[in-house]
Amino acid sequence: MTEKKVTFKFEKENKNSVRYEEVPEDGAPPVIGSIYVQKWFAGSSKKIEITITKSD
């Protein structure tokens, strides 16, 4: 299995969710791009990290 930690920064706030934009590693293309997280979970976080596990 391969794990990848992806970091996101705050982009904009909607009615019920918060949009985060991926901060790609130097010289690498984005893995995910942008994601939406529900406000009840995201709260006022300006940065989030997600770990992706890829099963080979």
Side-chain angles (χ1 to χ4, degrees):
M1 285 193 288
T2 305
E3 284 193 355
K4 174 86 171 162
K5 186 184 287 187
V6 183
T7 304
F8 295 85
K9 66 179 180 179
F10 176 84
E11 188 173 357
K12 74 177 197 174
E13 190 172 316
N14 295 318
K15 182 178 177 184
N16 295 314
S17 62
V18 180
R19 182 174 171 167
Y20 291 91
E21 178 181 32
E22 183 176 346
V23 179
E25 295 177 0
D26 292 337
V31 174
I32 296 175
S34 296
I35 62 167
Y36 287 88
V37 178
Q38 296 300 304
K39 275 188 183 178
W40 67 264
F41 184 81
S44 60
S45 298
K46 298 297 180 194
K47 177 182 166 186
I48 60 170
E49 292 180 349
I50 295 177
T51 302
I52 301 171
T53 304
K54 182 174 91 171
S55 299
D56 296 327

